């Protein structure tokens, strides 16, 4: 950073001209600020610098991830933004969630942040670019809509260095510096248009895509910190499901929204948020895979397909589904369909182990479901023919799982050969979630099947000798589900 010159009338005038004006509301009730008020607001504030900060719990892990990134792209400048606030309506913004790649590498979650790795002879020099504390001299802290008086205190650059273990600089100076940068550069696209514009003549889409793919694959195998966070997310999610069962009578008196709100309360009290829009699908809505409107009735005798997950404060999310009898007991047909999905899930989970092909658990679950569909006379066999032609997909619809982590569908940008066509390794975490869905208007199945949807989903960690079901605390077998619901309802 350049040395600050003593202020003179000329330099003060120059700084004022270059400084962005403090944003104020067009139709604010105060037309201006008197010199006396401005002077009053500059002084009389206590020093709030935090002196005894310790590094974030995952500081060692984030440093290891940055080291892996540095080793992959020697001699290149790497730019990974957190992203910017997005307007929801007029002068209100959506809650901010930093890009997963940025948060994974730094542990920081604040808007406008950018991680830059500049090449050196021995690797890279790391810098995290952040907004510093709001300026009190120019009134930013109380006149700007994003000033600290309005949205809360942010960490100083010195505090940030202590927390994240990375030298910190003012992000407002970064775009100009990047415009002057020389040598090969890669940027994570899609999060910060200003940063991308500063690099527009220095990057290529192909090279940037290689960066995005690498950062996605960097998350395929979870470290111990990540596994702990995922378990924490799952444990909160289990409590959220218990909360829902306890208030099913209130949901019957209102709608699926009561279920959504009940689970959301647990997510906000114990975590950061829900990891994705909760699917609270009662009755025939359970046959719609991503039913997030949650505005339908909840009726005794129907099934409730609840697909929901708590996201921790470090962005790791659970993803769990149970299909529950709203009355507390499955009908004979509901139980037959549920037990078929349970058996398919059991086969899928058994196929999750180190050295297995990623596709194995999907194939195992699909075979069980296909056998039942043939057995019930809903599709003409033999089973091998049905699987070869994919005819079971009319009722099974989706893949049997996906990687799980900081994104509910984690590692989505990874190469196919490293993911879907890859091999399972210890530390990978994935969902196993077979389902059967008989649409309300499906004339190819008996009438009594129509409108029934069942999915069972658990979060599975690949271990050295097999797997561990992180969500095993939530009952799965139909008789255990009924007993669990009865105990919660008293």
């Amino acid at each position: 950073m350049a040395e600050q010159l003593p202020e003179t009338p000329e330099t003060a005038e120059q700084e004022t001209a270059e400084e962005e004006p403090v944003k104020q509301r067009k139709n604010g009730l105060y037309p201006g600020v008197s010199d006396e008020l401005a002077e009053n607001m500059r002084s009389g504030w206590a020093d709030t610098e935090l002196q005894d900060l310790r590094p974030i719990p995952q500081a060692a892990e984030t440093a290891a991830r940055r080291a892996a990134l540095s080793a992959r792209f020697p001699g290149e400048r790497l730019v990974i933004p957190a992203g910017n606030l997005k307007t929801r309506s007029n002068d209100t913004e959506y809650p901010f969630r930093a890009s997963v790649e940025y948060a994974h590498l730094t542990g920081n979650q604040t808007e406008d942040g950018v991680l830059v790795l500049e090449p050196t002879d021995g690797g890279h020099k790391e810098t995290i670019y952040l907004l510093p504390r709001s300026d009190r001299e120019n009134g930013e802290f109380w006149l700007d809509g994003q000033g600290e008086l309005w949205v809360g205190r942010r960490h100083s650059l010195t505090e940030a260095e202590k927390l994240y273990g990375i030298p910190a600089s003012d992000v407002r100076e970064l775009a100009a510096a990047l415009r002057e940068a020389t040598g090969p550069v890669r940027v994570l696209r899609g999060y910060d248009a200003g940063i991308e514009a500063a690099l527009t003549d220095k990057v290529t889409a192909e090279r940037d895509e290689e960066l995005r793919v690498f950062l996605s694959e960097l998350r395929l195998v979870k470290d111990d910190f990540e596994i702990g966070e995922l378990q924490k997310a799952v444990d909160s999610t289990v409590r959220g499901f218990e909360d829902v069962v306890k208030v099913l009578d209130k949901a019957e008196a209102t709608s699926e929204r009561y279920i959504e709100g009940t689970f959301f309360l647990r997510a906000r009290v114990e975590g950061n948020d829900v990891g994705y829009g909760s699917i609270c699908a009662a009755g025939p809505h359970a046959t719609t895979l991503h039913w997030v409107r949650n505005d339908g009735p909840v009726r005794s005798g129907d099934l409730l397909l609840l697909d929901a997950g708590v996201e921790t404060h470090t962005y790791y999310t659970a993803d769990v589904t149970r299909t529950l009898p709203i009355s507390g007991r499955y009908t004979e047909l509901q139980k037959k369909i549920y037990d078929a999905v349970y058996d398919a899930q059991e086969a899928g989970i058994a196929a999750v182990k180190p050295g297995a092909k990623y596709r194995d658990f999907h194939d195992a679950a699909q075979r069980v479901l296909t056998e039942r569909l043939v057995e019930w006379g809903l599709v003409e066999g033999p089973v091998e023919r049905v699987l070869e032609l994919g005819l079971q997909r009319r009722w099974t619809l989706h893949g049997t799982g996906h990687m799980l982590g900081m994104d509910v569908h984690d590692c989505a940008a990874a190469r196919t050969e490293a993911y879907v066509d890859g091999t399972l390794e210890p530390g990978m975490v994935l969902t196993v979630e077979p389902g059967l869905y008989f649409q309300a208007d499906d004339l190819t199945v008996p009438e009594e099947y129509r409108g029934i949807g069942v999915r069972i989903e658990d979060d599975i960690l690949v271990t050295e000798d097999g797997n561990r079901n992180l969500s095993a605390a939530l009952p799965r077998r139909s008789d255990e589900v009924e007993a669990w619901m009865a105990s919660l309802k008293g």
Side-chain angles (χ1 to χ4, degrees):
M1 185 180 293
E3 182 180 354
Q4 187 172 348
L5 300 174
E7 186 176 280
T8 67
E10 292 77 18
T11 58
E13 183 178 342
Q14 183 180 5
E15 287 173 4
T16 302
E18 293 175 351
E19 204 170 71
E20 287 188 15
V22 172
K23 292 173 282 187
Q24 296 187 63
R25 243 177 245 219
K26 180 179 180 180
N27 288 305
L29 292 173
Y30 293 105
V33 176
S34 68
D35 292 342
E36 290 78 7
L37 177 58
E39 181 58 36
N40 177 278
M41 292 296 287
R42 286 191 190 100
S43 59
W45 305 101
D47 180 5
T48 61
E49 184 75 9
L50 304 176
Q51 303 296 335
D52 299 322
L53 289 176
R54 301 178 62 83
I56 57 173
Q58 69 270 41
E61 287 82 1
T62 55
R65 297 165 197 163
R66 294 193 302 274
L69 174 61
S70 174
R72 172 62 180 82
F73 297 105
E76 302 184 54
R77 180 177 277 101
L78 309 172
V79 183
I80 298 93
N84 315 123
L85 288 171
K86 288 183 171 57
T87 300
R88 181 182 187 274
S89 174
N90 194 21
D91 57 353
T92 62
E93 291 80 26
Y94 287 103
F96 179 73
R97 190 178 190 273
S99 73
V100 162
E101 295 86 352
Y102 172 86
H104 187 244
L105 292 167
T106 66
N108 178 258
Q109 299 176 7
T110 56
E111 66 269 18
D112 301 326
V114 184
L115 173 68
V116 177
L117 273 61
E118 296 183 37
T120 64
D121 290 340
H124 285 86
K125 173 190 174 185
E126 304 172 345
T127 307
I128 187 170
Y129 288 86
L130 302 166
L131 284 172
R133 297 289 309 280
S134 288
D135 193 333
R136 299 199 178 218
E137 282 300 307
N138 70 1
E140 174 203 347
F141 85 103
W142 70 288
L143 292 174
D144 190 289
Q146 293 301 317
E148 290 180 323
L149 199 63
W150 292 96
V151 300
R153 184 188 189 277
R154 53 184 177 247
H155 286 296
S156 71
L157 299 181
T158 301
E159 292 169 352
E161 291 184 1
K162 294 177 182 177
L163 286 169
Y164 308 112
I166 313 170
S169 291
D170 190 338
V171 71
R172 294 171 299 185
E173 302 170 355
L174 179 58
L178 291 176
R179 279 191 286 270
E180 301 300 319
T182 58
V185 184
R186 296 179 192 255
V187 63
L188 180 67
R189 299 190 181 205
Y191 293 105
D192 194 317
I195 294 299
E196 289 181 37
L199 293 169
T200 187
D201 60 339
K202 308 176 193 303
V203 295
T204 67
E206 294 77 13
R207 289 162 54 78
D208 292 346
E209 179 63 12
E210 289 176 355
L211 172 62
R212 188 172 77 101
V213 167
F214 175 80
L215 293 176
S216 192
E217 293 182 9
L218 189 60
R219 303 196 305 277
L220 280 169
V221 176
K222 272 59 180 179
D223 56 42
D224 289 344
F225 175 84
E226 293 178 290
I227 294 168
E229 288 298 291
L230 285 167
Q231 185 66 69
K232 190 187 302 181
V234 167
D235 293 344
S236 290
T237 299
V238 169
R239 290 187 283 273
F241 274 68
E242 293 172 347
D243 296 339
V244 166
V245 171
K246 291 174 182 177
V247 300
L248 279 178
D249 58 334
K250 294 185 174 66
E252 287 187 61
T254 52
S255 76
E256 295 162 341
R257 291 282 167 95
Y258 204 96
I259 295 167
E260 179 183 352
T262 299
F263 187 84
F264 181 70
L265 178 61
R266 178 66 65 174
R268 286 294 281 168
V269 167
E270 294 192 1
N272 178 56
D273 206 329
V274 289
Y276 52 96
S278 299
I279 298 169
C280 308
H285 289 162
T287 66
T288 301
L289 294 186
H290 292 163
W291 178 260
V292 292
R293 298 180 206 171
N294 299 335
D295 58 0
V298 178
R299 298 189 180 101
S300 183
D302 284 345
L303 295 175
L304 167 67
L305 190 157
L306 179 58
D307 184 338
V310 173
E311 177 185 85
T312 67
H313 294 291
T314 55
Y315 287 176
Y316 290 87
T317 185
D319 183 7
V320 176
T321 306
R322 290 293 183 270
T323 305
L324 311 172
I326 294 168
S327 68
R329 296 191 68 82
Y330 297 100
T331 67
E332 184 177 346
L333 179 60
Q334 289 169 351
K335 185 177 185 301
K336 181 176 84 165
I337 296 170
Y338 184 95
D339 288 349
V341 175
Y342 172 81
D343 290 344
Q345 194 200 28
E346 282 283 274
I349 292 174
V352 175
K353 53 191 173 184
K357 295 297 183 183
Y358 176 85
R359 292 179 181 272
D360 287 352
F361 76 95
H362 169 72
D363 294 341
Q366 288 290 296
R367 175 169 291 277
V368 171
L369 293 178
T370 302
E371 289 170 351
R372 299 302 169 85
L373 291 168
V374 171
E375 177 187 325
W376 298 339
L378 301 184
V379 64
E380 184 181 346
V383 169
E384 294 299 337
R385 166 186 169 271
V386 176
L387 288 169
E388 182 180 354
L389 298 176
L391 300 180
Q392 82 284 358
R393 292 177 60 186
R394 181 182 179 101
W395 304 284
T396 65
L397 294 180
H398 54 80
T400 309
H402 52 79
M403 291 295 181
L404 184 68
M406 298 181 84
D407 279 332
V408 65
H409 290 182
D410 207 25
C411 313
R415 293 166 299 160
T416 302
E417 58 265 33
Y419 190 160
V420 172
D421 291 338
T423 301
L424 296 179
E425 301 177 37
M428 289 181 171
V429 180
L430 59 146
T431 67
V432 178
E433 50 174 314
L436 281 174
Y437 311 90
F438 300 103
Q439 306 302 317
D441 59 351
D442 187 351
L443 302 181
T444 70
V445 299
E447 185 175 0
E448 62 267 25
Y449 282 74
R450 298 172 198 166
I452 295 178
V454 173
R455 180 164 67 253
I456 311 171
E457 177 180 19
D458 285 86
D459 302 340
I460 310 298
L461 167 68
V462 183
T463 62
E464 295 288 346
D465 56 356
N467 69 65
R468 185 169 91 235
N469 185 348
L470 300 179
S471 43
L474 205 57
R476 290 188 295 128
R477 212 172 62 204
S478 56
D479 59 334
E480 292 175 342
V481 169
E482 291 176 339
W484 169 71
M485 293 182 69
S487 71
L488 290 173
K489 290 182 175 184

